[in-house]
Amino acid sequence: MYPGLHRILFLDDDVVVQKDLTALWSIDMDGKVNGAVDACFGSFHRYAQYLNFLHPLIQEKFNPKACAWAFGMNIFDLDAWRREKCMEQYHYWQNLNDDWSLWKLGTLPAGLATFYSTTKSLDKSWHVVGLGYNPSISMNEIHNAVVIHFNGNMKPWLDLAMTQYKELWTKYIDSEMEFVQMCNFGM
């Protein structure tokens, strides 16, 4: 994958980049593949929420209390990716789950399995998650974040968006564009 590149930045389609991302290229990844922000608080976003710990293979390989990381703004060290054979690992987990016995839905569980011991924790200011489900994120935390993420069901372009966060997305929309007018974003 991208044999001429050493790092790549992944940005999900429901993020807003608020600040310069250049410093991500110089972060010491400590030999890890994935640089991401931990998404745990309390018992929320632990591996037990995503993987089926009744399955013996999951019990053997993972800690149910391990902190999941946020998918949506990730820096990947492609040299480490190739060394760790991450593509093969990802396909291994996906193929094992063809009967839905390891996890039920989504791409995050396969990523959590693949990058279980190869993720470097980044400072939380890099990526603030939850703007599509958590009404209690402080505006200070949002304004200090490099990337904000509207993960969850209440996307800012939907009528059910949380009003306190909607403007963080809509201020970038050119409502004069014909395509945007046809989309009925509920602005």
Side-chain angles (χ1 to χ4, degrees):
M1 181 173 83
Y2 305 111
L5 297 179
H6 300 286
R7 284 198 179 180
I8 194 166
L9 178 64
F10 169 80
L11 294 170
D12 216 342
D13 59 359
D14 55 356
V15 303
V16 172
V17 177
Q18 302 186 122
K19 298 179 183 175
D20 188 358
L21 296 166
T22 306
L24 282 171
W25 301 106
S26 59
I27 287 177
D28 180 1
M29 297 281 286
D30 299 321
K32 304 287 186 180
V33 176
N34 175 26
V37 171
D38 289 344
C40 312
F41 43 94
S43 63
F44 200 53
H45 286 293
R46 303 282 175 175
Y47 269 62
Q49 286 184 275
Y50 299 100
L51 301 176
N52 176 12
F53 277 87
L54 297 176
H55 193 286
L57 182 61
I58 296 297
Q59 288 177 6
E60 176 188 326
K61 298 280 186 186
F62 306 104
N63 178 349
K65 294 179 182 176
C67 187
W69 40 267
F71 205 42
M73 192 233 51
N74 305 76
I75 186 84
F76 290 105
D77 180 325
L78 296 181
D79 295 325
W81 179 293
R82 290 183 276 271
R83 182 186 70 241
E84 297 291 332
K85 297 180 173 33
C86 289
M87 189 66 66
E88 292 88 343
Q89 286 293 316
Y90 189 86
H91 289 156
Y92 167 79
W93 288 110
Q94 285 286 60
N95 290 335
L96 276 180
N97 194 45
D98 66 351
D99 62 356
W100 303 104
S101 65
L102 304 180
W103 65 84
K104 292 298 174 207
L105 294 173
T107 56
L108 181 57
L112 291 173
T114 301
F115 303 112
Y116 178 64
S117 61
T118 61
T119 297
K120 172 164 175 98
S121 182
L122 301 179
D123 186 270
K124 291 194 181 310
S125 65
W126 278 108
H127 183 197
V128 170
V129 298
L131 278 71
Y133 68 85
N134 184 352
S136 61
I137 301 170
S138 78
M139 285 311 231
N140 187 47
E141 186 178 359
I142 291 168
H143 291 303
N144 289 328
V146 178
V147 172
I148 57 175
H149 194 168
F150 291 90
N151 60 318
N153 294 329
M154 296 183 233
K155 305 293 186 195
W157 52 86
L158 299 175
D159 290 337
L160 56 82
M162 287 184 272
T163 55
Q164 72 268 37
Y165 304 141
K166 195 166 185 158
E167 198 271 336
L168 298 167
W169 179 79
T170 57
K171 69 182 177 182
Y172 297 106
I173 302 303
D174 182 355
S175 58
E176 300 299 315
M177 289 179 62
E178 181 181 353
F179 174 74
V180 171
Q181 291 174 359
M182 293 180 342
C183 288
N184 187 24
F185 281 131
M187 293 188 302

